[in-house]
Amino acid sequence: MAKVATGRDLGKSRLLDEFNASLMFDKELYKEDIKGSLAHASMLTKQGILTDEDFADIQKGLLQIKDEIENGEFIFDIGDEDIHMAIEKRLTNLIGDAGKRLHTSRSRNDQVATDFRLYTQKQNIILKNLIKEVLATLLEVAKEHTSTLLPGMTHLQHAQPINFGYHMMAYFAMFKRDLERFESSYKRNNISPLGCAALAGTPYPIDRDETAKELGFEHPSINCLDTVSDRDFALEILFNISTLAMHISRLSEELVLWGSSEFNFVVLSDDYSTSSSIMPQKKNPDVPELLRGKTGRVYGNLISLLTVMKGLPLAYNKDTQEDKEGVFDSVKTATISLTILNEVLKTMWVNKDAMQMATKKGHLSATDLADYLVNQKGYAFRDAYKLVGSIVDELEKSKKDISDISLSELQKFDKNITEDVIEKLDLKNSMNARDSFGGTSESSTKQQIEIFEKWLHEL
Ligand code: ARG
């Protein structure tokens, strides 16, 4: 098959084609390429650079090519190097000279920057909407569990009693920031590279505002030398996905732990669990484990493009062709990860009793006893802290939890302690005592749910 006509007769080696080509992966950008070419051709026609007949032919040809690609009829040949050249060659085959005129006042440098930006902008919105669905699920789970006690932890050690709704809303807060990152990347990068040509603009009387508007961009970029070599928009989506993957991984780690017989806090639905090939009794959390594991490739993609970009002189360099596979991979990974995470959360069973039982370990209301001694009995906090420490030491010996201690037992340590202490040591009361803004009390958790739900609805 003949190659795309280029200025000089270079690059005949097949080995070069194999090394140089991006077609086998950048064909993913065919829709964006056709969209960009249509906007470019329409603008050239309005500016009197192309005729109406040329435009009609180009439009018809490009739409046919789109159909051919979607029907699997299009022949992809790596000799064409990339999707831009492959479509242009096919267009010229189909419509003749008008196809050759399409590339007037355009370079593949602004073309690829435009196509890839259109792609990442679309994905910013898709990922934002997928996160929104996970947030809605977290909200539903949280609403059901504002009085479900579980041990709040620091250092993975029992610390203070919290409720499961509060725990879920912590993840809501993380994923909300992720959503906002995709949103702000979209806003910041909604700028059109088209018309920058190779690096320095073009002598043709083009209208960059027109193509920017046509493609849904806010305005054309201001400096073309930067634009054709800028891949910050790609790095941003890679970073946003990396942070999202880190959050998904943290939640997945908890799901793995909670599903173990040591915790037994949640049971994942059979639909999203797997079996062992040898141990018939096993139900494995492959989904959260894989979600946790996917973080590796996603971080790799970010570091890989950061490294590609770090030594590049202005302006376009072929190195940037290495920008695409990692972004496609991270986007696909994030898309399926969010979709399956949402299903896992929707279908998991929360074992309230196991959570409640776990709060009886680790003296979760020890801080409340110290606070009681400070507030009711006038102790300095450090003295109260020390006294409670010695009580906990004793309780450990008798394998008893501080929430089950009787008044007479407490009075053996300090005669000043009175009946009103008992309600302070109750675990639900302890949770509800933390009523400061952002705290874990049932009413504070409900307030958080209300604030976050309002934000979600207004999105
Ligand atoms: N396939 C190339 C890429 O993805 C397109 C741009 C090529 N431009 C050039 N002057 N070689 O970056």
Side-chain angles (χ1 to χ4, degrees):
M1 193 175 293
K3 278 194 169 204
V4 185
T6 50
R8 294 165 64 205
D9 196 15
L10 302 176
K12 282 187 182 149
S13 129
R14 186 71 188 169
L15 182 59
L16 174 75
D17 286 346
E18 273 168 28
F19 186 65
N20 198 37
S22 51
L23 181 60
M24 294 331 279
F25 51 87
D26 68 15
K27 61 184 179 188
E28 179 101 26
L29 298 175
Y30 77 93
K31 272 192 200 146
E32 286 75 17
D33 195 70
I34 289 171
K35 193 172 168 188
S37 288
L38 283 171
H40 181 64
S42 151
M43 179 278 293
L44 290 180
T45 310
K46 278 193 191 150
Q47 297 301 105
I49 302 167
L50 290 184
T51 63
D52 288 342
E53 297 77 65
D54 279 348
F55 179 69
D57 288 347
I58 289 170
Q59 191 175 39
K60 197 164 158 257
L62 287 174
L63 295 179
Q64 177 173 338
I65 291 170
K66 187 163 180 273
D67 280 347
E68 288 177 0
I69 294 176
E70 285 168 1
N71 298 333
E73 292 157 10
F74 192 91
I75 300 163
F76 292 99
D77 173 11
I78 56 164
D80 293 338
E81 192 179 330
D82 57 28
I83 188 67
H84 323 292
M85 297 298 247
I87 290 179
E88 188 185 321
K89 187 180 83 178
R90 177 69 184 138
L91 184 67
T92 304
N93 287 346
L94 285 171
I95 65 168
D97 283 355
K100 295 185 196 161
R101 283 194 277 273
L102 171 63
H103 210 54
T104 314
S105 87
R106 185 176 73 170
S107 153
R108 260 186 309 157
N109 298 350
D110 61 336
Q111 191 178 356
V112 70
T114 303
D115 295 358
F116 199 30
R117 198 178 278 250
L118 283 171
Y119 169 87
T120 53
Q121 288 295 78
K122 184 170 77 185
Q123 299 304 331
N124 277 326
I125 302 295
I126 292 175
L127 291 172
K128 178 186 145 178
N129 288 331
L130 284 172
I131 297 175
K132 201 173 161 186
E133 284 175 35
V134 172
L135 288 173
T137 303
L138 285 170
L139 208 58
E140 286 316 304
V141 179
K143 277 184 188 171
E144 264 180 61
H145 292 287
T146 54
S147 61
T148 305
L149 278 187
L150 84 162
M153 309 218 183
T154 61
H155 313 270
L156 203 61
Q157 306 282 328
H158 289 205
Q160 290 173 348
I162 60 172
N163 69 74
F164 190 57
Y166 184 61
H167 201 112
M168 288 292 100
M169 291 318 281
Y171 284 105
F172 187 103
M174 286 184 221
F175 290 123
K176 173 176 182 279
R177 290 195 294 277
D178 290 323
L179 184 150
E180 287 166 339
R181 259 186 289 274
F182 286 102
E183 203 174 37
S184 82
S185 289
Y186 180 88
K187 284 197 188 120
R188 184 171 31 263
N189 294 308
N190 206 24
I191 290 169
S192 175
L194 198 57
C196 274
L199 71 162
T202 167
Y204 291 91
I206 60 168
D207 183 349
R208 293 191 62 209
D209 287 300
E210 168 75 25
T211 46
K213 204 167 103 209
E214 182 64 28
L215 294 172
F217 290 118
E218 197 73 29
H219 58 79
S221 65
I222 313 282
N223 179 290
C224 288
L225 192 62
D226 166 52
T227 307
V228 291
S229 72
D230 167 31
R231 292 296 180 272
D232 291 1
F233 62 95
L235 287 165
E236 275 190 35
I237 201 167
L238 289 173
F239 174 77
N240 297 347
I241 291 173
S242 294
T243 310
L244 167 70
M246 178 267 290
H247 291 151
I248 293 178
S249 181
R250 291 183 65 183
L251 174 53
S252 299
E253 166 68 10
E254 300 223 81
L255 290 174
V256 172
L257 284 174
W258 291 342
S260 69
S261 29
E262 280 66 29
F263 279 82
N264 201 20
F265 284 3
V266 297
V267 180
L268 299 188
S269 140
D270 285 354
D271 288 347
Y272 295 102
S273 302
T274 48
S275 51
S276 156
S277 60
I278 176 169
M279 295 167 280
Q281 84 284 13
K282 291 212 63 195
K283 181 168 161 178
N284 291 331
D286 286 26
V287 173
E289 285 172 316
L290 260 180
L291 287 171
R292 196 174 56 186
K294 296 279 181 199
T295 319
R297 65 197 295 157
V298 162
Y299 289 1
N301 292 332
L302 170 63
I303 298 301
S304 152
L305 185 56
L306 279 170
T307 312
V308 166
M309 296 305 295
K310 75 175 270 293
L312 299 187
L314 286 170
Y316 178 83
N317 297 273
K318 184 78 169 190
D319 313 45
T320 46
Q321 181 167 288
E322 292 290 314
D323 59 1
K324 290 174 203 64
E325 284 163 289
V327 170
F328 295 153
D329 180 66
S330 283
V331 163
K332 279 175 198 150
T333 304
T335 304
I336 189 155
S337 296
L338 285 166
T339 310
I340 200 157
L341 174 68
N342 195 23
E343 292 308 313
V344 165
L345 292 173
K346 269 191 197 161
T347 55
M348 72 184 180
W349 180 68
V350 177
N351 188 347
K352 291 186 189 188
D353 293 341
M355 288 185 181
Q356 168 89 37
M357 257 154 63
T359 58
K360 287 284 181 189
K361 283 185 222 144
H363 314 286
L364 295 180
S365 46
T367 318
D368 300 84
L369 179 55
D371 289 341
Y372 166 85
L373 293 169
V374 170
N375 295 324
Q376 255 74 33
K377 304 296 168 187
Y379 284 59
F381 181 76
R382 274 297 160 223
D383 293 334
Y385 172 91
K386 209 164 162 207
L387 177 60
V388 176
S390 57
I391 295 174
V392 165
D393 276 345
E394 279 308 307
L395 288 169
E396 282 290 288
K397 285 178 204 151
S398 53
K399 302 241 176 299
K400 198 167 190 176
D401 189 75
I402 203 162
S403 58
D404 291 329
I405 198 170
S406 68
L407 180 61
S408 57
E409 280 170 293
L410 275 170
Q411 284 170 336
K412 280 184 210 150
F413 292 95
D414 192 308
K415 298 191 299 305
N416 294 326
I417 297 176
T418 45
E419 178 66 34
D420 54 348
V421 75
I422 296 301
E423 62 172 25
K424 302 278 181 196
L425 300 181
D426 174 80
L427 292 164
K428 200 152 231 167
N429 291 343
S430 163
M431 189 257 294
N432 281 323
R434 287 172 176 74
D435 201 27
S436 54
F437 185 77
T440 191
S441 73
E442 199 170 339
S443 69
S444 176
T445 303
K446 283 183 176 156
Q447 183 187 29
Q448 293 160 41
I449 291 176
E450 203 178 299
I451 294 171
F452 282 141
E453 188 165 33
K454 185 166 179 288
W455 169 83
L456 192 66
H457 283 157
E458 285 169 2
L459 205 63

